[in-house]
Amino acid sequence: MAVAEHPIAIPCSRPGVTSVLHEWVTTVDHKKLGIMYILSGLVFFVVAGLEASAMRIQLAVPNNTFLSPQVFNRLFTMHGTTMVFLVGMPIIVGMANYLVPLMIGARDLAFPRLNAFGFWMFFFGALLLYFSVLGGDGLYGAGSMPDVGWFAYAPLTGRAFSRGNSTDYWIVGLLVGGVGSLTTAANLVATICTMRCPGMTFRRMPLFVWLLFVVCLQMLVALPPLSAAQVMLLFDRFLGAHFFDTQAGGSAVLWQHFFWIFGHPEVYILILPGFACASEIIPVFSRKPIFGYAIMVAATVAIGFISLGVWAHHMFTVGLSTGANAFFVFSTMLIAVPTGIKIFNWLGTMWGGRIRFATPMLFCTGFLFQFLVAGLTGVMLATAPFDWQLSDSYFVVAHFHYVLIGGLLFTIFAAIYYWFPKVTGRMLSERLGTWQFWIFAAGFNLTFMPQHISGVLGMPRRIYTYDAGRGLELWNGLSTAGVPLQILGVLLLVLNIAWALRRGAPAGDDPWDAWTLEWSTTSPPPEYNFETIPTVRSRRPLWDLKHPDDPDWRYE
């Protein structure tokens, strides 16, 4: 007689740390790589924030000795380099990685393995830069960080002024990371051009995708000149090529041209994704379609095009010809037109809307005010005579922090609150978010608004201390007083995320009643993104599904 065999119960066990780590390290899933980019950027944001805090403590009072001049030089170099290349860029690329395929109805990027290659090139480039702390034999002893500024002007980077290898780590680290950025940009362009779902024409793409498309094209044009200049600088330092050595017939101004051909479009590479987030969030929380979709796209393309031809407005004090100065004044003024169009369109979207001031909308509203301040001071600095007076002063420091923190960072915070439910399936606390907004906004404006005044009073940037009795004490004291508020704001975000991951309310698939495709799938999305590839007939496909009696496609 046959005897029935009872199945042996196998105890369920959670995957170990090693298997989880292996899964993430070897992944080619665009969503996991996007999260890895964003987490890396946030870690480096904390590092750069600590570096900036140390510098603000040094400048709090006159003749302070908290930092030595050498350490101050290293800190402002690493702070600037980290914020531009290791915070802004990876967070932007991470958001694009995660959201673009979902928004266009695709299952992944066009080249998933190339996508993973791009992330690891960025990551190892970042490690190389910070390995200089241990391995960069600097001028002042064993192990040092680069001290040539994030712009690395010649001849400061020559062997005569920058001995040891810390500058070499700066060059090679950014060169390696730049390869990763280029491959990712090419991958995203290919994805947007070839993998849109049926019905998703360019005229129906979400503005977020349009703006990231322009950003990727900018990266493909602007990054190679910087990489070429870095290779030339390596030739100068190791092979005696003298490209930038004026004593041997080279040109220090040539480095500035190469650097700012990259450096100025880089400002728009960083800020356009902020515009992209605002363009998705403001309509949803105003309960209105974006005002002037077509003109918003045209303005984005215009900004991308014009930004490639205005680099020399960073060089008014170099001594260019009158004709060159006049051309770059005109072209810089011109870029204010499409930028102003965008601001008016966001305000037009809010006008008459049923606005919900949830945390993402609060941060977008703060962004509008602070970017307006940045735009006004930008127009002032675009005028050559004004720039001659205030170039290399703290007025410029205040201007670009209003652009990159007031513009980009506020929209990144808005994006975290807006898309966190989609990524994790949990809601962040609105109460903690509101507290974070007001405390961080107060700290940010207290830190950087007084720097406009200290700059007008003549305080140079990149100076490690100043004498008493020059009218700078009050403004520097206020600037430093704002730093703890900013730190508290960031800590509230960290606390909010930790709380939400454990106890946050379930988000559901579409907690904001939004209209783009990423909200049509589960939260978090499955590996394959969509059970069936969607078909769209308008710019708001979820609106069409929710309101079959009044779909948008009837009016487009």
Side-chain angles (χ1 to χ4, degrees):
M1 185 176 67
V3 178
E5 294 183 359
H6 297 284
I8 301 174
I10 300 175
C12 296
S13 61
R14 300 177 65 180
V17 174
T18 307
S19 61
V20 172
L21 189 61
H22 180 267
E23 180 187 344
W24 281 81
V25 168
T26 58
T27 187
V28 294
D29 181 3
H30 73 97
K31 297 182 290 298
K32 287 181 178 173
L33 287 166
I35 293 171
M36 289 160 69
Y37 268 118
I38 293 170
L39 289 179
S40 302
L42 292 176
V43 169
F44 283 114
F45 172 65
V46 172
V47 173
L50 293 175
E51 292 164 346
S53 301
M55 288 189 288
R56 280 313 321 167
I57 292 172
Q58 167 64 23
L59 293 170
V61 294
N63 300 314
N64 199 358
T65 57
F66 177 70
L67 298 176
S68 68
Q70 295 81 13
V71 172
F72 189 88
N73 286 347
R74 293 170 190 159
L75 288 179
F76 84 70
T77 298
M78 295 300 280
H79 169 72
T81 305
T82 303
M83 285 299 293
V84 172
F85 294 99
L86 308 185
V87 177
M89 294 280 279
I91 291 179
I92 290 163
V93 171
M95 288 196 298
N97 248 285
Y98 196 99
L99 292 171
V100 166
L102 288 167
M103 285 186 168
I104 63 172
R107 296 202 188 280
D108 207 327
L109 291 186
F111 307 104
R113 289 178 177 81
L114 187 65
N115 194 24
F117 171 80
F119 170 77
W120 290 110
M121 289 295 283
F122 147 73
F123 191 72
F124 287 125
L127 292 184
L128 264 177
L129 179 66
Y130 270 88
F131 187 72
S132 63
V133 177
L134 302 175
D137 185 13
L139 180 61
Y140 309 106
S144 75
M145 296 183 284
D147 57 357
V148 292
W150 80 278
F151 37 80
Y153 281 163
L156 194 60
T157 49
R159 281 286 183 198
F161 302 100
S162 182
R163 300 176 188 172
N165 298 113
S166 51
T167 299
D168 302 316
Y169 280 101
W170 183 90
I171 299 169
V172 177
L174 297 192
L175 199 57
V176 171
V179 173
S181 298
L182 283 173
T183 56
T184 303
N187 204 351
L188 283 164
V189 169
T191 303
I192 294 169
C193 288
T194 64
M195 297 184 67
R196 300 187 312 277
C197 66
M200 179 72 76
T201 63
F202 275 98
R203 297 183 61 184
R204 292 175 182 162
M205 279 200 317
L207 280 176
F208 183 94
V209 181
W210 253 115
L211 270 77
L212 266 296
F213 183 62
V214 172
V215 164
C216 291
L217 292 176
Q218 282 182 298
M219 289 168 69
L220 292 175
V221 174
L223 271 173
L226 177 65
S227 299
Q230 287 167 325
V231 172
M232 292 161 71
L233 185 55
L234 282 176
F235 283 177
D236 269 15
R237 289 179 59 82
F238 288 98
L239 302 177
H242 306 303
F243 284 112
F244 309 116
D245 183 357
T246 52
Q247 292 184 335
S251 171
V253 177
L254 178 63
W255 170 268
Q256 292 201 34
H257 280 294
F258 269 117
F259 184 82
W260 289 116
I261 285 174
F262 153 79
H264 191 75
E266 171 70 3
V267 174
Y268 292 93
I269 289 170
L270 292 173
I271 196 63
L272 281 180
F275 291 180
C277 297
S279 298
E280 294 300 328
I281 294 170
I282 289 175
V284 169
F285 287 91
S286 300
R287 307 313 301 163
K288 285 177 63 185
I290 189 76
F291 178 72
Y293 172 92
I295 196 71
M296 288 287 267
V297 173
T300 303
V301 175
I303 290 173
F305 182 75
I306 299 172
S307 70
L308 297 172
V310 299
W311 75 90
H313 79 228
H314 294 271
M315 300 165 61
F316 285 147
T317 56
V318 165
L320 302 178
S321 67
T322 304
N325 281 343
F327 172 80
F328 287 106
V329 166
F330 172 76
S331 58
T332 307
M333 292 284 188
L334 189 62
I335 207 167
V337 176
T339 307
I341 287 173
K342 283 189 166 296
I343 292 177
F344 281 116
N345 280 42
W346 289 319
L347 294 176
T349 305
M350 295 168 67
W351 184 266
R354 290 180 288 115
I355 299 176
R356 291 181 293 163
F357 279 107
T359 308
M361 190 63 177
L362 276 179
F363 276 106
C364 283
T365 310
F367 149 75
L368 286 175
F369 165 73
Q370 282 147 183
F371 191 74
L372 181 63
V373 174
L376 293 174
T377 54
V379 171
M380 294 161 74
L381 288 169
T383 310
F386 189 90
D387 186 81
W388 290 336
Q389 298 298 318
L390 291 176
S391 181
D392 282 340
S393 76
Y394 257 79
F395 189 90
V396 180
V397 176
H399 163 68
F400 70 68
H401 279 88
Y402 264 85
V403 173
L404 294 182
I405 295 183
L408 176 62
L409 192 60
F410 269 65
T411 50
I412 286 176
F413 285 148
I416 289 174
Y417 280 91
Y418 184 62
W419 280 293
F420 183 88
K422 176 54 58 181
V423 176
T424 65
R426 300 279 182 178
M427 298 294 292
L428 288 165
S429 163
E430 279 293 307
R431 177 176 294 181
L432 285 175
T434 304
W435 275 102
Q436 185 209 341
F437 169 76
W438 288 110
I439 290 173
F440 191 86
F444 166 75
N445 285 288
L446 185 57
T447 299
F448 294 106
M449 189 63 82
Q451 292 181 6
H452 291 100
I453 301 171
S454 57
V456 171
L457 292 176
M459 181 169 174
R461 60 198 284 197
R462 309 171 196 132
I463 191 168
Y464 94 105
T465 192
Y466 53 91
D467 291 331
R470 297 190 174 185
L472 302 175
E473 296 90 332
L474 173 64
W475 310 114
N476 278 284
L478 290 173
S479 282
T480 303
V483 173
L485 294 176
Q486 292 188 71
I487 293 174
L488 179 58
V490 174
L491 288 176
L492 284 174
L493 174 63
V494 174
L495 175 66
N496 202 348
I497 291 174
W499 174 85
L501 289 175
R502 294 180 62 85
R503 300 188 177 183
D509 296 344
D510 184 15
W512 307 117
D513 192 16
W515 305 313
T516 39
L517 280 180
E518 75 272 24
W519 302 103
S520 68
T521 188
T522 59
S523 302
E527 286 194 13
Y528 44 85
N529 287 352
F530 304 97
E531 288 188 11
T532 57
I533 296 297
T535 300
V536 301
R537 302 178 68 184
S538 75
R539 294 170 191 149
R540 300 195 300 171
L542 262 65
W543 173 275
D544 295 343
L545 288 176
K546 295 171 187 173
H547 303 86
D549 54 327
D550 187 28
D552 274 4
W553 52 263
R554 283 185 184 168
Y555 313 105
E556 290 184 5

PDB file of all heavy atoms in Angstrom, residues 387-404:
ATOM      1  N   ASP A 387      29.124  93.888 -13.270  1.00  0.00           N
ATOM      2  CA  ASP A 387      29.917  92.704 -12.975  1.00  0.00           C
ATOM      3  C   ASP A 387      31.359  93.078 -12.645  1.00  0.00           C
ATOM      4  O   ASP A 387      31.989  92.458 -11.782  1.00  0.00           O
ATOM      5  CB  ASP A 387      29.876  91.751 -14.172  1.00  0.00           C
ATOM      6  CG  ASP A 387      30.565  90.429 -13.887  1.00  0.00           C
ATOM      7  OD1 ASP A 387      29.934  89.566 -13.253  1.00  0.00           O
ATOM      8  OD2 ASP A 387      31.748  90.276 -14.277  1.00  0.00           O
ATOM      9  N   TRP A 388      31.897  94.116 -13.320  1.00  0.00           N
ATOM     10  CA  TRP A 388      33.266  94.541 -13.010  1.00  0.00           C
ATOM     11  C   TRP A 388      33.393  94.962 -11.545  1.00  0.00           C
ATOM     12  O   TRP A 388      34.426  94.773 -10.919  1.00  0.00           O
ATOM     13  CB  TRP A 388      33.670  95.725 -13.910  1.00  0.00           C
ATOM     14  CG  TRP A 388      33.873  95.346 -15.346  1.00  0.00           C
ATOM     15  CD1 TRP A 388      34.176  94.109 -15.825  1.00  0.00           C
ATOM     16  CD2 TRP A 388      33.759  96.198 -16.486  1.00  0.00           C
ATOM     17  NE1 TRP A 388      34.264  94.126 -17.195  1.00  0.00           N
ATOM     18  CE2 TRP A 388      34.023  95.411 -17.639  1.00  0.00           C
ATOM     19  CE3 TRP A 388      33.483  97.553 -16.669  1.00  0.00           C
ATOM     20  CZ2 TRP A 388      33.998  95.922 -18.928  1.00  0.00           C
ATOM     21  CZ3 TRP A 388      33.463  98.066 -17.948  1.00  0.00           C
ATOM     22  CH2 TRP A 388      33.715  97.260 -19.069  1.00  0.00           C
ATOM     23  N   GLN A 389      32.328  95.578 -11.003  1.00  0.00           N
ATOM     24  CA  GLN A 389      32.378  96.038  -9.614  1.00  0.00           C
ATOM     25  C   GLN A 389      32.235  94.898  -8.606  1.00  0.00           C
ATOM     26  O   GLN A 389      32.866  94.916  -7.551  1.00  0.00           O
ATOM     27  CB  GLN A 389      31.261  97.062  -9.375  1.00  0.00           C
ATOM     28  CG  GLN A 389      31.372  98.313 -10.206  1.00  0.00           C
ATOM     29  CD  GLN A 389      32.642  99.088  -9.921  1.00  0.00           C
ATOM     30  OE1 GLN A 389      33.051  99.238  -8.774  1.00  0.00           O
ATOM     31  NE2 GLN A 389      33.296  99.584 -10.970  1.00  0.00           N
ATOM     32  N   LEU A 390      31.398  93.909  -8.943  1.00  0.00           N
ATOM     33  CA  LEU A 390      31.046  92.901  -7.933  1.00  0.00           C
ATOM     34  C   LEU A 390      31.532  91.496  -8.264  1.00  0.00           C
ATOM     35  O   LEU A 390      31.248  90.550  -7.525  1.00  0.00           O
ATOM     36  CB  LEU A 390      29.530  92.874  -7.731  1.00  0.00           C
ATOM     37  CG  LEU A 390      28.966  94.128  -7.065  1.00  0.00           C
ATOM     38  CD1 LEU A 390      27.461  94.077  -6.987  1.00  0.00           C
ATOM     39  CD2 LEU A 390      29.542  94.294  -5.663  1.00  0.00           C
ATOM     40  N   SER A 391      32.261  91.330  -9.354  1.00  0.00           N
ATOM     41  CA  SER A 391      32.800  90.003  -9.666  1.00  0.00           C
ATOM     42  C   SER A 391      33.728  89.553  -8.546  1.00  0.00           C
ATOM     43  O   SER A 391      34.481  90.339  -7.980  1.00  0.00           O
ATOM     44  CB  SER A 391      33.582  90.069 -10.988  1.00  0.00           C
ATOM     45  OG  SER A 391      34.086  88.796 -11.304  1.00  0.00           O
ATOM     46  N   ASP A 392      33.655  88.273  -8.212  1.00  0.00           N
ATOM     47  CA  ASP A 392      34.469  87.705  -7.134  1.00  0.00           C
ATOM     48  C   ASP A 392      34.171  88.322  -5.775  1.00  0.00           C
ATOM     49  O   ASP A 392      35.036  88.370  -4.900  1.00  0.00           O
ATOM     50  CB  ASP A 392      35.967  87.813  -7.444  1.00  0.00           C
ATOM     51  CG  ASP A 392      36.412  86.747  -8.420  1.00  0.00           C
ATOM     52  OD1 ASP A 392      35.700  85.728  -8.563  1.00  0.00           O
ATOM     53  OD2 ASP A 392      37.476  86.919  -9.048  1.00  0.00           O
ATOM     54  N   SER A 393      32.939  88.817  -5.602  1.00  0.00           N
ATOM     55  CA  SER A 393      32.521  89.276  -4.272  1.00  0.00           C
ATOM     56  C   SER A 393      31.444  88.322  -3.747  1.00  0.00           C
ATOM     57  O   SER A 393      30.963  87.439  -4.467  1.00  0.00           O
ATOM     58  CB  SER A 393      31.938  90.696  -4.353  1.00  0.00           C
ATOM     59  OG  SER A 393      30.628  90.652  -4.890  1.00  0.00           O
ATOM     60  N   TYR A 394      31.026  88.534  -2.495  1.00  0.00           N
ATOM     61  CA  TYR A 394      29.997  87.668  -1.925  1.00  0.00           C
ATOM     62  C   TYR A 394      28.629  87.889  -2.563  1.00  0.00           C
ATOM     63  O   TYR A 394      27.715  87.077  -2.364  1.00  0.00           O
ATOM     64  CB  TYR A 394      29.942  87.841  -0.398  1.00  0.00           C
ATOM     65  CG  TYR A 394      30.613  86.681   0.290  1.00  0.00           C
ATOM     66  CD1 TYR A 394      31.998  86.627   0.387  1.00  0.00           C
ATOM     67  CD2 TYR A 394      29.882  85.605   0.771  1.00  0.00           C
ATOM     68  CE1 TYR A 394      32.628  85.541   0.961  1.00  0.00           C
ATOM     69  CE2 TYR A 394      30.503  84.509   1.344  1.00  0.00           C
ATOM     70  CZ  TYR A 394      31.875  84.489   1.431  1.00  0.00           C
ATOM     71  OH  TYR A 394      32.492  83.396   1.984  1.00  0.00           O
ATOM     72  N   PHE A 395      28.464  88.984  -3.335  1.00  0.00           N
ATOM     73  CA  PHE A 395      27.216  89.167  -4.066  1.00  0.00           C
ATOM     74  C   PHE A 395      27.017  88.006  -5.048  1.00  0.00           C
ATOM     75  O   PHE A 395      25.913  87.485  -5.212  1.00  0.00           O
ATOM     76  CB  PHE A 395      27.262  90.503  -4.827  1.00  0.00           C
ATOM     77  CG  PHE A 395      25.955  90.899  -5.447  1.00  0.00           C
ATOM     78  CD1 PHE A 395      25.039  91.670  -4.741  1.00  0.00           C
ATOM     79  CD2 PHE A 395      25.635  90.507  -6.738  1.00  0.00           C
ATOM     80  CE1 PHE A 395      23.830  92.032  -5.309  1.00  0.00           C
ATOM     81  CE2 PHE A 395      24.430  90.863  -7.315  1.00  0.00           C
ATOM     82  CZ  PHE A 395      23.520  91.634  -6.600  1.00  0.00           C
ATOM     83  N   VAL A 396      28.117  87.578  -5.689  1.00  0.00           N
ATOM     84  CA  VAL A 396      28.041  86.459  -6.630  1.00  0.00           C
ATOM     85  C   VAL A 396      27.742  85.157  -5.882  1.00  0.00           C
ATOM     86  O   VAL A 396      26.967  84.317  -6.353  1.00  0.00           O
ATOM     87  CB  VAL A 396      29.352  86.344  -7.425  1.00  0.00           C
ATOM     88  CG1 VAL A 396      29.290  85.177  -8.401  1.00  0.00           C
ATOM     89  CG2 VAL A 396      29.642  87.631  -8.170  1.00  0.00           C
ATOM     90  N   VAL A 397      28.340  85.003  -4.707  1.00  0.00           N
ATOM     91  CA  VAL A 397      28.060  83.804  -3.895  1.00  0.00           C
ATOM     92  C   VAL A 397      26.563  83.733  -3.573  1.00  0.00           C
ATOM     93  O   VAL A 397      25.925  82.680  -3.697  1.00  0.00           O
ATOM     94  CB  VAL A 397      28.894  83.829  -2.601  1.00  0.00           C
ATOM     95  CG1 VAL A 397      28.541  82.640  -1.712  1.00  0.00           C
ATOM     96  CG2 VAL A 397      30.384  83.837  -2.915  1.00  0.00           C
ATOM     97  N   ALA A 398      26.003  84.886  -3.153  1.00  0.00           N
ATOM     98  CA  ALA A 398      24.570  84.905  -2.832  1.00  0.00           C
ATOM     99  C   ALA A 398      23.742  84.574  -4.069  1.00  0.00           C
ATOM    100  O   ALA A 398      22.770  83.807  -3.994  1.00  0.00           O
ATOM    101  CB  ALA A 398      24.189  86.284  -2.284  1.00  0.00           C
ATOM    102  N   HIS A 399      24.123  85.141  -5.224  1.00  0.00           N
ATOM    103  CA  HIS A 399      23.355  84.909  -6.464  1.00  0.00           C
ATOM    104  C   HIS A 399      23.285  83.427  -6.809  1.00  0.00           C
ATOM    105  O   HIS A 399      22.205  82.875  -7.004  1.00  0.00           O
ATOM    106  CB  HIS A 399      23.982  85.691  -7.612  1.00  0.00           C
ATOM    107  CG  HIS A 399      23.553  85.216  -8.966  1.00  0.00           C
ATOM    108  ND1 HIS A 399      22.277  85.361  -9.434  1.00  0.00           N
ATOM    109  CD2 HIS A 399      24.248  84.549  -9.944  1.00  0.00           C
ATOM    110  CE1 HIS A 399      22.177  84.821 -10.639  1.00  0.00           C
ATOM    111  NE2 HIS A 399      23.364  84.317 -10.972  1.00  0.00           N
ATOM    112  N   PHE A 400      24.454  82.761  -6.874  1.00  0.00           N
ATOM    113  CA  PHE A 400      24.360  81.380  -7.361  1.00  0.00           C
ATOM    114  C   PHE A 400      23.819  80.421  -6.307  1.00  0.00           C
ATOM    115  O   PHE A 400      23.288  79.355  -6.638  1.00  0.00           O
ATOM    116  CB  PHE A 400      25.671  80.884  -8.004  1.00  0.00           C
ATOM    117  CG  PHE A 400      26.831  80.643  -7.104  1.00  0.00           C
ATOM    118  CD1 PHE A 400      26.831  79.604  -6.179  1.00  0.00           C
ATOM    119  CD2 PHE A 400      27.977  81.413  -7.223  1.00  0.00           C
ATOM    120  CE1 PHE A 400      27.916  79.362  -5.373  1.00  0.00           C
ATOM    121  CE2 PHE A 400      29.070  81.191  -6.410  1.00  0.00           C
ATOM    122  CZ  PHE A 400      29.043  80.165  -5.488  1.00  0.00           C
ATOM    123  N   HIS A 401      23.876  80.795  -5.018  1.00  0.00           N
ATOM    124  CA  HIS A 401      23.200  79.951  -4.026  1.00  0.00           C
ATOM    125  C   HIS A 401      21.676  80.124  -4.108  1.00  0.00           C
ATOM    126  O   HIS A 401      20.938  79.168  -3.853  1.00  0.00           O
ATOM    127  CB  HIS A 401      23.712  80.248  -2.621  1.00  0.00           C
ATOM    128  CG  HIS A 401      25.009  79.547  -2.308  1.00  0.00           C
ATOM    129  ND1 HIS A 401      26.232  80.099  -2.597  1.00  0.00           N
ATOM    130  CD2 HIS A 401      25.277  78.312  -1.799  1.00  0.00           C
ATOM    131  CE1 HIS A 401      27.195  79.257  -2.255  1.00  0.00           C
ATOM    132  NE2 HIS A 401      26.649  78.162  -1.766  1.00  0.00           N
ATOM    133  N   TYR A 402      21.228  81.320  -4.483  1.00  0.00           N
ATOM    134  CA  TYR A 402      19.784  81.471  -4.701  1.00  0.00           C
ATOM    135  C   TYR A 402      19.335  80.686  -5.925  1.00  0.00           C
ATOM    136  O   TYR A 402      18.206  80.196  -5.986  1.00  0.00           O
ATOM    137  CB  TYR A 402      19.414  82.959  -4.841  1.00  0.00           C
ATOM    138  CG  TYR A 402      18.937  83.538  -3.528  1.00  0.00           C
ATOM    139  CD1 TYR A 402      19.848  84.009  -2.597  1.00  0.00           C
ATOM    140  CD2 TYR A 402      17.595  83.577  -3.203  1.00  0.00           C
ATOM    141  CE1 TYR A 402      19.433  84.513  -1.377  1.00  0.00           C
ATOM    142  CE2 TYR A 402      17.159  84.076  -1.988  1.00  0.00           C
ATOM    143  CZ  TYR A 402      18.087  84.536  -1.075  1.00  0.00           C
ATOM    144  OH  TYR A 402      17.667  85.017   0.139  1.00  0.00           O
ATOM    145  N   VAL A 403      20.239  80.545  -6.918  1.00  0.00           N
ATOM    146  CA  VAL A 403      19.895  79.739  -8.095  1.00  0.00           C
ATOM    147  C   VAL A 403      19.870  78.252  -7.726  1.00  0.00           C
ATOM    148  O   VAL A 403      18.880  77.547  -7.954  1.00  0.00           O
ATOM    149  CB  VAL A 403      20.904  79.978  -9.235  1.00  0.00           C
ATOM    150  CG1 VAL A 403      20.629  79.012 -10.388  1.00  0.00           C
ATOM    151  CG2 VAL A 403      20.829  81.412  -9.723  1.00  0.00           C
ATOM    152  N   LEU A 404      20.968  77.770  -7.129  1.00  0.00           N
ATOM    153  CA  LEU A 404      21.136  76.325  -6.991  1.00  0.00           C
ATOM    154  C   LEU A 404      20.481  75.759  -5.728  1.00  0.00           C
ATOM    155  O   LEU A 404      20.078  74.594  -5.734  1.00  0.00           O
ATOM    156  CB  LEU A 404      22.625  75.972  -7.017  1.00  0.00           C
ATOM    157  CG  LEU A 404      23.306  76.252  -8.367  1.00  0.00           C
ATOM    158  CD1 LEU A 404      24.768  75.841  -8.331  1.00  0.00           C
ATOM    159  CD2 LEU A 404      22.590  75.532  -9.502  1.00  0.00           C
TER     160      LEU A 404
END
